Each structure stands twice: as structure tokens, then as C-alpha cells.
Amino acid sequence: MDANHLSLWQVRINTSENVDNIQQSIDTLRLEISKTIRELKTVRDENASLKAQLEKLRAERLQEQSTYQTLEDNYQKLKIASAMGGNPEHKKLMRHKMRQLIKEVDACIAEVKTKNI
């Protein structure tokens, strides 16, 4: 064989090796892309689940706040009723509440007088 044929043969071998390397790189990239797509789907699913859980917890928190406020209001009413019934611990609260109500009534009377109604 002459030098040209040998050189051509070496180029073909090198080209074949390069094609094999490129094919391996492509296969590796395909695997990595598939893996990334699966991970993305998993993360999206988890995100959707967490969003749903967050909304559920927000609704529960609102319900708990409402329940707390109702209980607090009822407790205050019970303390006032207890003071009216003679409970000495709650008499001070009752006096305070009565003073507040009197001040509100006085303010209303003053407003009516200033408007000459």
C-alpha cells in the first residue's frame, strides 16, 4: 500500500471513532434529558401537592381564628353575666364595662345636642 492509501485508511478509522464518540455523547445526553424530565415531573407533582396542602391549612387557620374569636366573645359575655350574678371576681370587669357603655351613651347624647336633632 502506498502512503496515500494508508493515510486514507487512518482518516476512515479516526472518523469512525469520532462517530462512535459522538453517538455515545448523544446517548448520554438522551439519558440525562430523560432523567431531568422525570425529575421535573416529580418536582411539579410535589409542588402541586404542597400548594393544595397550603390552601387546606390556610382554610383551617381561618376557621380556627373564627372559632377562637367566637369563643373569646362568649367568654367575655359569660364574665359579664357572672358579674351580674354577683361573682366578686368579675364585678370589677362589670363596673369597667358599665363605665364604657355610659361613656358611649354620653358621647351619643353630646353628638345629638350638637346637631340639634
Side-chain angles (χ1 to χ4, degrees), residues 35-99:
K35 179 182 173 187
T36 303
I37 289 171
R38 283 192 307 274
E39 289 173 356
L40 177 63
K41 183 184 180 321
T42 300
V43 168
R44 283 183 176 166
D45 290 346
E46 184 178 353
N47 188 31
S49 174
L50 289 172
K51 282 182 179 181
Q53 184 179 5
L54 177 62
E55 287 304 314
K56 179 182 174 189
L57 290 172
R58 282 182 177 160
E60 286 176 9
R61 190 187 90 225
L62 287 175
Q63 180 62 38
E64 292 296 326
Q65 285 177 330
S66 176
T67 300
Y68 172 80
Q69 191 59 49
T70 301
L71 290 172
E72 184 65 30
D73 292 345
N74 289 341
Y75 175 67
Q76 293 302 322
K77 290 174 186 175
L78 181 61
K79 286 193 326 188
I80 291 170
S82 176
M84 289 178 155
N87 185 333
E89 293 178 21
H90 295 231
K91 279 190 179 186
K92 184 177 180 181
L93 171 68
M94 183 61 180
R95 280 190 224 115
H96 177 69
K97 188 68 173 171
M98 292 295 282
R99 285 187 197 114

Side-chain angles (χ1 to χ4, degrees), residues 8-20:
L8 185 58
W9 179 253
Q10 288 173 340
V11 168
R12 285 183 182 166
I13 290 174
N14 287 338
T15 303
S16 176
E17 289 173 0
N18 286 340
V19 169
D20 288 343

Side-chain angles (χ1 to χ4, degrees), residues 99-115 117:
R99 285 187 197 114
Q100 281 181 323
L101 292 172
I102 291 169
K103 284 180 185 179
E104 286 180 32
V105 169
D106 288 343
C108 289
I109 291 171
E111 189 175 330
V112 167
K113 284 182 181 179
T114 58
K115 291 184 179 182
I117 298 178

